[in-house]
């Protein structure tokens, strides 16, 4: 299952940045990173593959003192468009 993660620093400081980097470089992630990008203004975003949502909880929990996370399941747009079309059709059918 693919998840999109966007994270932003909670309380940016030199101390918190050093500690979060120390933790990250010693961390063994329970998810597979498909891509991971850092924002120049702090925080970043990633696409990860996880077996289940429990793995996502395990992945972000070590870093919650430092970052606010937005985690959402994602699908490829080729898979999403037929779903959106189907649900729009259903909405249109309800009077």
């Amino acid at each position: 299952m693919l998840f999109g993660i966007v994270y932003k620093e909670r309380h940016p400081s030199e101390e918190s940045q050093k500690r979060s980097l120390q933790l990250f470089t010693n961390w063994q992630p329970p998810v597979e990173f498909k891509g991971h990008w850092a924002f120049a203004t702090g925080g970043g975003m990633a696409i990860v593959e996880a077996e289940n949502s429990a793995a996502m909880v395990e992945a972000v929990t070590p870093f919650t003192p430092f970052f606010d996370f937005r985690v959402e399941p994602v699908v490829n747009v080729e898979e999403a468009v037929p779903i959106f079309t189907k649900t729009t059709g259903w909405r249109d059918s309800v009077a």
Side-chain angles (χ1 to χ4, degrees):
M1 176 180 270
L2 291 177
F3 291 89
I5 303 170
V6 176
Y7 57 96
K8 182 117 178 101
E9 293 174 285
R10 283 182 182 264
H11 306 288
S13 71
E14 190 173 340
E15 180 182 321
S16 68
Q17 185 180 53
K18 285 179 182 179
R19 180 63 175 150
S20 65
L21 288 171
Q22 179 188 34
L23 292 170
F24 186 78
T25 57
N26 287 280
W27 180 56
Q28 294 299 315
V31 296
E32 179 186 345
F33 281 85
K34 299 296 187 174
H36 193 177
W37 302 269
F39 297 152
T41 56
M45 62 182 282
I47 300 293
V48 301
E49 187 166 0
E51 290 185 25
N52 52 52
S53 56
M56 288 307 308
V57 171
E58 183 181 350
V60 301
T61 299
F63 302 98
T64 56
F66 309 101
F67 300 98
D68 287 319
F69 291 92
R70 180 174 167 201
V71 179
E72 296 195 31
V74 298
V75 296
N76 291 324
V77 71
E78 295 85 4
E79 189 177 353
V81 168
I83 294 168
F84 298 154
T85 301
K86 178 182 175 182
T87 57
T88 300
W90 174 81
R91 281 196 309 266
D92 290 346
S93 75
V94 176

